[in-house]
Each structure stands twice: as C-alpha cells, then as structure tokens.
Amino acid sequence: MSVKFSKHTILTAGILAGLVLGVVLGEVLYRAYSGAVPDGLLEGLSFVGNTFFIGLLKMVLLPLVVSSVIVGVSSIGDPAQLGRVGGWTVLYYFTTMAIAVVLGVVLVVSIQPGRGFDEAFRVQEVQQFSVTTGATQDRVEAASSIGLWGAFKNIITQLIPENPIADAANGRLLPVISFSLMLGIVLTVIGPRGQPVLAFFESLFAAVMKLVDWILWLAPLGVFCLVAWTVARIGTASLVGPLGIFMVTVLLGLMIHGLIILPLALWVFGRTNPFLYMHQMRGALMTAFGTDSSSATLPVTIECAETLGGVSKRAAGFVLPLGATVNMDGTALYEAVAVVFLFQCFGIALGPTQLAIVVITATLAAVGAAGIPSAGLVTMVIVVAAVNNSLGLPEDQQLPLAAVGIILGVDRVLDMCRTTVNVWGDAVGAKIITRIAPDPV
Ligand code: ASP
C-alpha cells in the first residue's frame, strides 16, 4: 500500500467520522437545550470550523486559483486548442446546469410540495423574515433590486476586470480567474520571454498544493465542528417538519442528477467508471458537504482530482477553478425547485411561460452565485423577481420577497447537499475534459 493511499484513507475515515459525530453532537445539543443552544457554544463550534478550517482554505484560495489557472492554461499552449477546450468546458457547464434545472422543475411540478402547505407556518416565517434584520435579509434585499439584466451585466463585468488586484483583495474570484486566463495565454504566446514568470507560477502552485496537503489534516475536526454547528441550530427534526416534502423533492433531484445523470455523462463522454471516480473524489465531496462552499473546497477538489482522480493538470487548472464559481448544477436545481415551491405555497399558479422563465433565470442565477454558503438562497430572488414580473399581477398579489423566510431554516442543510453536487459536477467536467486535454506524456 502506497504512502499516498494510506494518507487518503486515514483522511477519508476521519472526515466521515467528523460528519457522523457532528450530526450526533449537534442533535444532542439541540435536544439538551430544546432548540435554544447558547450562543457561546455555537460560537465555539463556528470558531473552530469557520475560522480555523475554512479560514485556512480561504487563505490558500487566491494564490491557488491564480497559479493553477495560469499553469493549466499555459500548459495547453496553443490558443486554438485552448479555444476548443474552453468551448467544450462552457458547453458542459451550461448543458448540465440546464438539465439540472429542468429536472428540478419537472419534480416540483409533479410532486407539488407547496400544495396545501401549512398556512400558520408560512405566515409566521414570512413575518419573522420581514421583521428580522440580518446579513441574509440585507443580501436578499440587495439582490432583488439587481434584476435579470443587472445579473447578466454583473457576470460580464466580472469577466472584464478593471482592477484585478482590487478584485483579488476583495475575494472576487471570477475576475481573478478571467485575468489569470488572459495572462496564462499571453505568457505562452510570448514564448521564451514568458518562461521566468511561468516558472514562478509553477513553483507557487507546487508550494500552495503542499500547504493544502497540510491543511487537509484539519478537515475531520473542521467538518465535525461545522456540521455540529449546523445541526445544533435546526435539529434533525426539521427534516420531517412542514418543509419535509420540499426537502425530499430537492434531495430527490440532487440524487437523480448526482447519481444518475452526471455519472452517465462521465461514462459516455469521459469513458470512466463513474463510481470509482466518485470514490477517488470522496475527500472533496465530503469537504463540500461539510463546508457548504465550492470555493473553500476548491483546494481539496484540485488535490483529489490530480493525485487520485487522474485528471490532467490542464483540465484541472482550467475546469475546476472556473467551475467552482460558475458551474453549479446543485444550486441551479435547488433554485428552480425552491422558487416554484414558494409560488405554490402562496397559491400562485405558474404557466409554461413562467416555468420557462424559471429555467432560464435559475441557470443564470446559479452562474452568478458565488461558491459560498447560502449564495444560492440570495440569488434566488432574481428568479422570483423575474417570474413576478412576467405574471403582471398587482404588487400585493405577487410573491413577497420575505417568502424566502419559509425556507431559510432548512437552507443550510440543503446547501450542504447542493454544494456536494456542485463540486461533483466540476469534478465530472474536469475528467471529461481530460480526454480532450490530456497532459503530455
Ligand atoms: N454553497 C453553494 C456553493 O458553494 C452555493 C449555493 O448557495 O448554492 O457551491
């Protein structure tokens, strides 16, 4: 048994134990304090999970994204080949996201989780959301005024960064990726003069990956604290509460997409055994589940893909960083299910036109969502606003923004699941693209 293998085996066992024990501790705390776990305890768990583990992952994120994109793109070299790889990658992202959204719409329309929804619960949650002030409320408010065109413009503007250093300093990944892509291309175009800078980024990449290796040892503890923190606040009983059928609809969709559709795509287009590959990517998938963040998971995704999954440096450097911010199958599916569900809760019927709007805007909203916790919940209001507009109802008969409050309580748990599918979608894409862009032998 190789050293690498045993390290991954130990880590897998540790992260799995962290996940299970985190649920157990969270549930014990939730019950012991009858749902009102003291803030100090919650803060302690969040401190270890968010500050130590996620904090360290975020620390390496920026140098990792810059160096992996530059190394990946420059190793593809020829701009024509790069265009081909880029084209297939973007096609893969949008096709799989569109499939996920359509699947979500079909499920939510057939299952109808919002029909006959608990009226008292609905009124109470909407009311609560309206009167509470908090970060999520502010973000929802801000996103609602962006509108569809605004969301589209926002994505394009990020692709043409005015000041990539300011973007980097503010943790905006998409502009940084866009700049790194361009830099990677020209560094190869200018030939030998680009070599010193390329060598620098290759060395930076190797160093950052080593750091990731070390940080990964904290994953079991980090995941344990994060999961305990989540479950301690909402309890596992929320799974069978009034939102039970909604959650089942989302989870069913995520399972069909993650366990049937994506594996099928990998098998057909990547000529790879999907379940073996899933096993190789397990560290990244479990980290995504525990952290709720594709971006924070990215270092682990690259690690697993390159060391265990046989993904080429070229594909990993290109597909994974871009995918972590752009390609979100789980989020797209979730947004579609959630929006239609909320309209159902309020007894507002959606026709084929509105459902088509949901399909288009949910895909766009998922692209616009950052790879951070609850981003999907926030960009969802763009979909709500677009559907409201197309219905042409007077304002008092439209779906209020505060309707988001209905699903706020269970968002974190669903976020864990959709983030896992998001990362799995990126990993599958990277493996498929490896066929088009293998590393030179
Ligand atoms: N948490 C998700 C991610 O990082 C985004 C979302 O909220 O759906 O991929």
Side-chain angles (χ1 to χ4, degrees):
M1 196 193 301
S2 77
V3 176
K4 265 269 169 294
F5 180 72
S6 66
K7 182 196 102 178
H8 279 281
T9 308
I10 295 167
L11 265 178
T12 307
I15 300 176
L16 201 60
L19 284 175
V20 175
L21 294 176
V23 174
V24 173
L25 175 69
E27 184 63 16
V28 167
L29 287 176
Y30 184 82
R31 289 190 187 188
Y33 290 99
S34 316
V37 181
D39 284 347
L41 257 176
L42 290 176
E43 262 168 39
L45 291 171
S46 162
F47 182 71
V48 179
N50 283 310
T51 312
F52 269 86
F53 180 50
I54 296 201
L56 283 168
L57 285 175
K58 280 187 179 165
M59 176 188 83
V60 291
L61 192 58
L62 204 67
L64 179 69
V65 165
V66 173
S67 59
S68 70
V69 172
I70 291 179
V71 170
V73 166
S74 63
S75 68
I76 295 179
D78 172 22
Q81 159 84 338
L82 189 67
R84 220 161 65 88
V85 173
W88 283 112
T89 305
V90 172
L91 182 72
Y92 167 81
Y93 289 163
F94 279 93
T95 315
T96 49
M97 273 195 284
I99 292 174
V101 176
V102 172
L103 173 65
V105 169
V106 169
L107 287 176
V108 71
V109 167
S110 338
I111 300 176
Q112 303 237 10
R115 212 177 52 181
F117 190 73
D118 186 335
E119 176 87 13
F121 180 85
R122 189 196 86 181
V123 172
Q124 174 201 321
E125 297 301 302
V126 172
Q127 167 79 6
Q128 173 91 13
F129 190 86
S130 316
V131 296
T132 316
T133 47
T136 309
Q137 277 78 358
D138 291 348
R139 284 162 69 195
V140 163
E141 196 66 48
S144 70
S145 55
I146 292 177
L148 194 53
W149 170 238
F152 183 69
K153 222 170 64 182
N154 193 4
I155 295 170
I156 302 297
T157 321
Q158 290 198 56
L159 292 175
I160 310 164
E162 241 175 48
N163 183 346
I165 305 290
D167 288 317
N170 286 303
R172 288 189 286 264
L173 284 187
L174 199 53
V176 174
I177 291 173
S178 176
F179 177 69
S180 309
L181 272 172
M182 296 185 217
L183 195 62
I185 296 171
V186 289
L187 283 173
T188 13
V189 169
I190 61 175
R193 280 179 303 153
Q195 271 315 311
V197 179
L198 272 181
F200 166 80
F201 281 114
E202 268 163 16
S203 157
L204 180 66
F205 179 68
V208 178
M209 285 308 285
K210 190 75 212 163
L211 261 180
V212 172
D213 238 22
W214 291 347
I215 296 169
L216 264 180
W217 287 109
L218 273 179
L221 179 67
V223 164
F224 166 70
C225 290
L226 287 168
V227 172
W229 176 60
T230 300
V231 177
R233 285 176 302 155
I234 59 169
T236 48
S238 62
L239 295 173
V240 289
L243 289 159
I245 304 178
F246 163 67
M247 296 180 81
V248 167
T249 312
V250 174
L251 295 178
L252 184 66
L254 292 176
M255 278 165 65
I256 295 176
H257 194 74
L259 296 176
I260 299 175
I261 295 173
L262 288 175
L264 210 59
L266 183 57
W267 186 57
V268 174
F269 299 108
R271 302 276 156 82
T272 298
N273 175 343
F275 296 102
L276 174 66
Y277 183 60
M278 193 181 273
H279 177 71
Q280 290 162 338
M281 293 302 300
R282 63 197 182 276
L285 300 177
M286 287 192 288
T287 307
F289 187 80
T291 61
D292 261 5
S293 168
S294 312
S295 294
T297 308
L298 180 62
V300 191
T301 316
I302 295 181
E303 226 274 333
C304 291
E306 285 193 10
T307 55
L308 296 175
V311 169
S312 70
K313 249 198 182 57
R314 296 171 162 186
F318 190 81
V319 185
L320 295 177
L322 199 59
T325 50
V326 168
N327 181 42
M328 298 202 179
D329 297 2
T331 301
L333 184 143
Y334 173 74
E335 299 207 5
V337 174
V339 169
V340 178
F341 164 72
L342 291 178
F343 276 95
Q344 288 172 352
C345 284
F346 278 74
I348 305 174
L350 300 184
T353 316
Q354 281 77 40
L355 293 178
I357 290 176
V358 169
V359 171
I360 296 166
T361 49
T363 309
L364 194 67
V367 172
I372 56 172
S374 288
L377 182 78
V378 174
T379 61
M380 201 179 82
V381 297
I382 297 172
V383 188
V384 172
V387 177
N388 265 338
N389 267 343
S390 85
L391 282 168
L393 295 169
E395 206 170 315
D396 59 339
Q397 287 170 32
Q398 293 183 355
L399 185 74
L401 272 192
V404 169
I406 297 174
I407 50 174
L408 193 64
V410 294
D411 184 65
R412 178 91 196 183
V413 174
L414 294 177
D415 199 359
M416 296 162 92
C417 305
R418 66 182 186 254
T419 307
T420 310
V421 174
N422 289 346
V423 169
W424 176 227
D426 298 340
V428 168
K431 188 73 183 175
I432 292 177
I433 300 295
T434 296
R435 272 195 72 208
I436 309 172
D439 280 335
V441 273

Coordinates of all heavy atoms in Angstrom, one line a residue, residues 380-421:
M380 N -31.5 33.5 -5.6 CA -32.8 33.0 -6.0 C -33.9 34.1 -6.1 O -34.8 34.0 -6.9 CB -33.3 32.1 -4.8 CG -34.3 31.1 -5.2 SD -34.6 30.2 -3.7 CE -35.7 31.3 -2.9
V381 N -33.7 35.2 -5.4 CA -34.7 36.3 -5.5 C -34.7 36.9 -6.9 O -35.7 37.5 -7.3 CB -34.5 37.4 -4.4 CG1 -34.6 36.8 -3.0 CG2 -33.1 38.1 -4.6
I382 N -33.6 36.8 -7.7 CA -33.6 37.2 -9.0 C -34.6 36.4 -9.8 O -35.4 37.0 -10.7 CB -32.2 37.1 -9.7 CG1 -31.2 37.9 -8.9 CG2 -32.2 37.4 -11.2 CD1 -29.7 37.7 -9.3
V383 N -34.7 35.2 -9.6 CA -35.7 34.3 -10.3 C -37.1 34.7 -9.8 O -38.0 34.8 -10.7 CB -35.4 32.8 -9.9 CG1 -36.3 31.9 -10.8 CG2 -33.9 32.4 -10.1
V384 N -37.3 34.9 -8.5 CA -38.6 35.3 -8.0 C -39.0 36.6 -8.7 O -40.2 36.7 -9.2 CB -38.5 35.5 -6.5 CG1 -39.8 36.1 -6.0 CG2 -38.2 34.2 -5.8
A385 N -38.1 37.6 -8.8 CA -38.5 38.9 -9.4 C -38.8 38.7 -10.8 O -39.8 39.3 -11.3 CB -37.3 39.8 -9.2
A386 N -38.1 37.9 -11.6 CA -38.4 37.7 -13.0 C -39.7 37.1 -13.2 O -40.5 37.4 -14.1 CB -37.3 36.8 -13.6
V387 N -40.1 36.1 -12.4 CA -41.4 35.4 -12.5 C -42.5 36.4 -12.1 O -43.5 36.5 -12.8 CB -41.4 34.1 -11.6 CG1 -42.8 33.5 -11.7 CG2 -40.4 33.1 -12.1
N388 N -42.3 37.1 -11.0 CA -43.3 38.1 -10.6 C -43.6 39.1 -11.7 O -44.7 39.4 -12.0 CB -42.7 38.9 -9.4 CG -43.2 38.3 -8.1 OD1 -44.2 37.6 -8.0 ND2 -42.5 38.6 -7.0
N389 N -42.5 39.5 -12.4 CA -42.7 40.5 -13.5 C -43.5 39.9 -14.6 O -44.4 40.6 -15.1 CB -41.3 40.8 -14.1 CG -40.7 42.1 -13.4 OD1 -41.5 42.8 -12.8 ND2 -39.4 42.3 -13.5
S390 N -43.2 38.7 -14.9 CA -43.9 38.1 -16.1 C -45.4 37.8 -15.8 O -46.2 37.7 -16.7 CB -43.2 36.8 -16.5 OG -43.6 35.7 -15.8
L391 N -45.7 37.7 -14.5 CA -47.1 37.4 -14.2 C -48.0 38.6 -14.3 O -49.2 38.5 -14.5 CB -47.2 36.9 -12.7 CG -46.8 35.4 -12.5 CD1 -46.6 35.1 -11.0 CD2 -47.8 34.5 -13.1
G392 N -47.3 39.8 -14.2 CA -48.1 41.0 -14.4 C -49.2 41.3 -13.3 O -50.2 41.9 -13.6
L393 N -49.0 40.7 -12.2 CA -50.0 40.8 -11.1 C -49.8 42.1 -10.4 O -48.6 42.6 -10.3 CB -50.0 39.7 -10.1 CG -50.3 38.3 -10.6 CD1 -49.9 37.2 -9.6 CD2 -51.8 38.2 -11.0
P394 N -50.8 42.7 -9.7 CA -50.6 43.9 -8.9 C -49.6 43.5 -7.7 O -49.6 42.3 -7.4 CB -51.9 44.2 -8.3 CG -52.9 43.3 -8.9 CD -52.2 42.3 -9.8
E395 N -48.9 44.5 -7.2 CA -47.8 44.2 -6.3 C -48.3 43.4 -5.1 O -47.6 42.5 -4.6 CB -47.1 45.4 -5.9 CG -45.7 45.2 -5.4 CD -44.9 46.5 -5.2 OE1 -45.0 47.4 -6.1 OE2 -44.3 46.6 -4.2
D396 N -49.5 43.7 -4.6 CA -49.9 43.0 -3.4 C -50.3 41.5 -3.6 O -50.6 40.8 -2.7 CB -51.0 43.8 -2.7 CG -52.2 43.9 -3.6 OD1 -52.1 43.8 -4.8 OD2 -53.4 44.2 -3.1
Q397 N -50.4 41.1 -4.9 CA -50.7 39.7 -5.2 C -49.5 38.9 -5.7 O -49.6 37.8 -6.0 CB -51.8 39.7 -6.3 CG -53.2 40.1 -5.7 CD -54.2 40.2 -6.9 OE1 -54.1 39.5 -7.9 NE2 -55.1 41.2 -6.7
Q398 N -48.4 39.6 -5.7 CA -47.1 38.9 -6.1 C -46.5 38.1 -5.0 O -46.9 38.3 -3.8 CB -46.1 40.0 -6.6 CG -46.5 40.7 -7.9 CD -45.5 41.6 -8.4 OE1 -44.4 41.8 -7.7 NE2 -45.7 42.2 -9.5
L399 N -45.5 37.3 -5.3 CA -44.8 36.6 -4.2 C -43.9 37.6 -3.5 O -43.1 38.2 -4.1 CB -44.0 35.5 -4.8 CG -43.3 34.6 -3.8 CD1 -44.3 33.7 -3.1 CD2 -42.2 33.8 -4.4
P400 N -44.2 37.8 -2.2 CA -43.3 38.8 -1.5 C -41.9 38.2 -1.3 O -41.7 37.0 -1.2 CB -44.0 38.9 -0.1 CG -44.7 37.7 0.1 CD -45.1 37.2 -1.3
L401 N -40.9 39.1 -1.3 CA -39.5 38.7 -1.1 C -39.3 37.9 0.2 O -38.5 37.0 0.2 CB -38.6 39.9 -1.0 CG -38.1 40.5 -2.3 CD1 -37.0 41.5 -2.0 CD2 -37.5 39.3 -3.2
A402 N -40.1 38.3 1.2 CA -39.9 37.7 2.5 C -40.4 36.2 2.5 O -40.1 35.5 3.5 CB -40.7 38.5 3.5
A403 N -40.9 35.8 1.4 CA -41.3 34.4 1.3 C -40.1 33.5 1.4 O -40.2 32.3 1.8 CB -42.0 34.1 -0.1
V404 N -38.9 34.0 1.1 CA -37.7 33.3 1.2 C -37.5 32.8 2.7 O -36.9 31.8 2.9 CB -36.5 34.2 0.8 CG1 -35.1 33.6 1.2 CG2 -36.5 34.5 -0.7
G405 N -38.1 33.6 3.6 CA -38.0 33.2 5.0 C -38.6 31.8 5.3 O -38.1 31.1 6.2
I406 N -39.5 31.3 4.5 CA -40.1 30.0 4.7 C -39.0 28.9 4.6 O -39.0 27.9 5.4 CB -41.1 29.7 3.6 CG1 -42.3 30.7 3.7 CG2 -41.7 28.3 3.7 CD1 -43.3 30.6 2.6
I407 N -38.0 29.1 3.7 CA -37.0 28.0 3.6 C -35.7 28.3 4.2 O -34.8 27.6 4.2 CB -36.8 27.7 2.1 CG1 -36.5 29.0 1.3 CG2 -37.9 26.9 1.5 CD1 -36.1 28.7 -0.2
L408 N -35.6 29.5 4.9 CA -34.4 30.0 5.5 C -33.8 28.9 6.5 O -32.7 28.6 6.5 CB -34.6 31.3 6.2 CG -33.4 32.1 6.6 CD1 -32.6 32.5 5.4 CD2 -33.8 33.3 7.4
G409 N -34.7 28.4 7.3 CA -34.3 27.5 8.4 C -33.7 26.2 7.9 O -32.8 25.6 8.5
V410 N -34.1 25.7 6.7 CA -33.5 24.5 6.2 C -32.5 24.7 5.1 O -32.0 23.7 4.6 CB -34.6 23.5 5.7 CG1 -35.5 23.1 6.8 CG2 -35.4 24.1 4.6
D411 N -32.2 25.9 4.8 CA -31.3 26.2 3.7 C -29.9 25.6 3.9 O -29.3 25.1 3.0 CB -31.2 27.7 3.5 CG -30.3 28.0 2.3 OD1 -30.8 27.6 1.2 OD2 -29.3 28.6 2.4
R412 N -29.4 25.7 5.1 CA -28.1 25.3 5.4 C -27.9 23.8 5.1 O -26.9 23.4 4.4 CB -27.7 25.6 6.8 CG -26.3 25.2 7.3 CD -25.3 26.2 7.1 NE -23.9 25.7 7.1 CZ -22.8 26.4 7.0 NH1 -22.9 27.7 6.9 NH2 -21.7 25.8 7.1
V413 N -28.9 23.0 5.5 CA -28.8 21.5 5.3 C -28.8 21.2 3.8 O -28.1 20.4 3.3 CB -29.9 20.8 6.0 CG1 -29.9 19.3 5.7 CG2 -29.8 21.0 7.5
L414 N -29.8 21.9 3.1 CA -29.9 21.7 1.7 C -28.6 22.2 0.9 O -28.2 21.7 -0.1 CB -31.1 22.3 1.1 CG -32.4 21.7 1.7 CD1 -33.7 22.5 1.2 CD2 -32.5 20.3 1.3
D415 N -28.1 23.3 1.5 CA -26.8 23.9 0.9 C -25.7 22.8 0.9 O -24.9 22.7 0.0 CB -26.5 25.1 1.7 CG -25.5 26.0 0.9 OD1 -25.2 25.7 -0.2 OD2 -25.2 27.1 1.4
M416 N -25.6 22.1 2.0 CA -24.6 21.1 2.1 C -24.7 20.1 1.0 O -23.7 19.7 0.3 CB -24.7 20.3 3.5 CG -24.5 21.2 4.7 SD -25.2 20.4 6.2 CE -23.8 19.5 6.8
C417 N -26.0 19.7 0.7 CA -26.2 18.7 -0.3 C -26.0 19.3 -1.7 O -25.4 18.6 -2.6 CB -27.6 18.1 -0.2 SG -27.9 17.5 1.4
R418 N -26.5 20.5 -2.0 CA -26.3 21.0 -3.3 C -24.9 21.4 -3.6 O -24.4 21.3 -4.7 CB -27.3 22.2 -3.6 CG -27.0 23.5 -2.7 CD -28.0 24.5 -3.1 NE -27.8 25.8 -2.4 CZ -28.4 26.3 -1.4 NH1 -29.4 25.6 -0.8 NH2 -28.1 27.5 -0.9
T419 N -24.1 21.8 -2.6 CA -22.7 22.1 -2.8 C -21.9 20.9 -3.2 O -21.0 20.9 -4.0 CB -22.1 22.8 -1.5 OG1 -22.9 23.9 -1.1 CG2 -20.7 23.2 -1.7
T420 N -22.3 19.7 -2.6 CA -21.7 18.5 -2.9 C -21.9 18.2 -4.4 O -21.0 17.8 -5.1 CB -22.3 17.3 -2.0 OG1 -22.2 17.7 -0.7 CG2 -21.5 16.0 -2.2
V421 N -23.1 18.4 -4.9 CA -23.4 18.1 -6.3 C -22.7 19.2 -7.2 O -22.2 18.8 -8.2 CB -25.0 18.2 -6.5 CG1 -25.3 18.0 -8.0 CG2 -25.6 17.0 -5.8

